[in-house]
Amino acid sequence: MATADQHTDPHDVWLPIPPDEIEGLPDGLHYVHWDAGPDYPADPARCVFYAVPYMKSAEILLRPLPRMSRVRVVQTLTAGTENMLPGLSDMPSGARLCNARGLHDASTAELALTLTLAALRGIPGFVRAQDAGEWRPDLRPALADKSVLIVGYGSIGSAIEDRLTPFECARVVRIARTARDTVRGPVHPLSDLSAHLPEADVVVLATPLTDATRGLVGSGFLAQMKDGALLVNVARGGVVDTKALLAELESGRLYAALDVTDPEPLPTGHPLWHAPGVLITPHVGGPSSAFLPRAKRLIRDQLTLFAAGEPLRNVVATAE
Ligand SMILES: NC(=O)C1=CN([C@@H]2O[C@H](COP(=O)(O)OP(=O)(O)OC[C@H]3O[C@@H](n4cnc5c(N)ncnc54)[C@H](O)[C@@H]3O)[C@@H](O)[C@H]2O)C=CC1
Ligand SMILES: O=C(O)C(=O)CO
């Protein structure tokens, strides 16, 4: 007997990657390539599974939803879904929004470590000295023996700890919304943050952007960080109050390494570009060579479950 998810009509699957480039897609569905161009490739009302193009504006990605009257699954290729959540009210009852939790772990954790090491060791200053052809030794902290606090210890946070382990940190402290145990040790609840912030040499942010995390890193949070500490943000720019961070950077008390900023893209002339002690990358944690093969595997795996009527991975919300 066919399950709720086994549709034969309508049955289009919208993919942001040409379907013939994804091996092992299940039979019985009609695959349509939509790469977020100005026009729809087909009738959105036929679409049952919408795999959302990667890192395009929310305005473009949400646009087809009101016409997708039979969609059962909206699958993002980002772990963060804050841009797609407003589309839930346009989705038919029971349709699920799934994220790409796991897809970006390796690449984003690798960038978090890269930013941490580069900022601690003062690599941006050495690059500037090299550009000027000047030999400017500068004794900088190593990661070894430092204490690292990961705020938002989930899939990416845990991948960051995997990569920190060989660097012989003194401590890695984990914070999430609620407490839990892991094989590595406890994850502390957010309510314990104040007890751990003043001890950390490096604070890494890896939370989603939610009502609770927007502006979480404001003047109160930053004031609790120890002098000379480094803030690394691979989460979302909105988790940090940019004005409060700028004040700390300009005083020279803290350092920051940011893959994400608020606003984003950071406009030319924004004071953050030239604040002292800041290293900025333009949201490149996820987008790397690791993306495409992993995105293809996620799409294939989710569609295989969908076609078999089995529970999907990474369901973050269901339309009412
Ligand atoms: N820089 C980049 O290119 C990328 C950034 N991201 C960002 O990283 C975020 C995290 O991704 P995952 O690790 O896959 O998510 P996840 O859901 O596995 O982990 C998130 C963790 O944050 C914790 N959390 C939620 N609210 C919190 C709060 N108020 N205070 C403290 N902790 C809180 C949760 O308890 C969970 O442990 C994404 O939502 C996205 O915004 C994700 C991929 C790439
Ligand atoms: O997955 C996410 O949330 C991203 O930011 C992708 O780079």
Side-chain angles (χ1 to χ4, degrees):
M1 201 174 82
T3 70
D5 278 339
Q6 288 174 311
H7 295 275
T8 49
D9 186 28
H11 62 278
D12 286 353
V13 170
W14 282 26
L15 298 177
I17 298 166
D20 57 358
E21 291 181 14
I22 308 176
E23 273 175 41
L25 289 177
D27 296 333
L29 293 160
H30 178 240
Y31 297 105
V32 172
H33 180 204
W34 185 56
D35 192 22
D39 301 315
Y40 302 138
D43 178 4
R46 286 175 48 89
C47 180
V48 292
F49 188 112
Y50 170 33
V52 176
Y54 185 51
M55 301 275 277
K56 300 279 195 315
S57 78
E59 192 260 320
I60 290 178
L61 303 179
L62 292 170
R63 209 189 317 142
L65 279 180
R67 296 170 60 198
M68 287 187 168
S69 51
R70 314 236 192 143
V71 74
R72 306 303 305 148
V73 180
V74 175
Q75 171 69 58
T76 68
L77 296 181
T78 51
T81 49
E82 72 283 356
N83 278 346
M84 292 306 289
L85 284 170
L88 268 180
S89 56
D90 285 324
M91 286 160 54
S93 176
R96 284 148 298 164
L97 176 65
C98 300
N99 74 6
R101 185 172 192 258
L103 194 159
H104 300 289
D105 290 3
S107 178
T108 307
E110 184 181 297
L111 186 75
L113 186 71
T114 304
L115 287 172
T116 302
L117 292 169
L120 284 178
R121 301 305 292 252
I123 300 301
F126 293 132
V127 172
R128 286 181 195 117
Q130 182 180 351
D131 284 345
E134 288 173 14
W135 188 262
R136 279 190 227 149
D138 181 13
L139 193 64
R140 302 278 308 191
L143 181 53
D145 303 332
K146 292 290 186 279
S147 183
V148 180
L149 175 67
I150 303 175
V151 180
Y153 190 86
S155 203
I156 291 172
S158 155
I160 292 171
E161 185 170 8
D162 290 343
R163 284 149 183 83
L164 287 171
T165 303
F167 286 85
E168 302 180 25
C169 300
R171 270 181 100 196
V172 176
V173 179
R174 313 163 195 89
I175 297 271
R177 204 172 30 210
T178 51
R180 65 179 194 275
D181 284 321
T182 72
V183 283
R184 291 200 178 104
V187 178
H188 303 280
L190 183 62
S191 51
D192 286 0
L193 184 65
S194 292
H196 297 289
L197 258 182
E199 306 298 323
D201 300 292
V202 180
V203 176
V204 185
L205 306 175
T207 63
L209 181 63
T210 64
D211 289 346
T213 61
R214 189 178 294 281
L216 172 73
V217 182
S219 51
F221 182 113
L222 294 166
Q224 290 181 75
M225 287 175 66
K226 68 157 79 158
D227 288 356
L230 170 68
L231 178 74
V232 179
N233 190 2
V234 292
R236 283 290 184 265
V239 176
V240 176
D241 175 343
T242 302
K243 239 173 131 182
L245 177 63
L246 268 170
E248 289 285 7
L249 293 171
E250 275 154 14
S251 77
R253 206 181 69 77
L254 298 178
Y255 295 85
L258 312 171
D259 183 45
V260 285
T261 58
D262 178 25
E264 196 170 296
L266 198 60
T268 307
H270 193 284
L272 201 50
W273 281 120
H274 300 292
V278 71
L279 169 58
I280 297 172
T281 51
H283 200 146
V284 291
S288 75
S289 58
F291 168 72
L292 199 54
R294 289 166 190 242
K296 288 177 183 176
R297 285 203 292 274
L298 173 69
I299 288 172
R300 182 204 55 208
D301 292 353
Q302 289 287 67
L303 276 167
T304 303
L305 294 170
F306 176 72
E310 288 178 14
L312 298 174
R313 283 164 44 195
N314 295 359
V315 176
V316 290
T318 303
E320 287 177 2

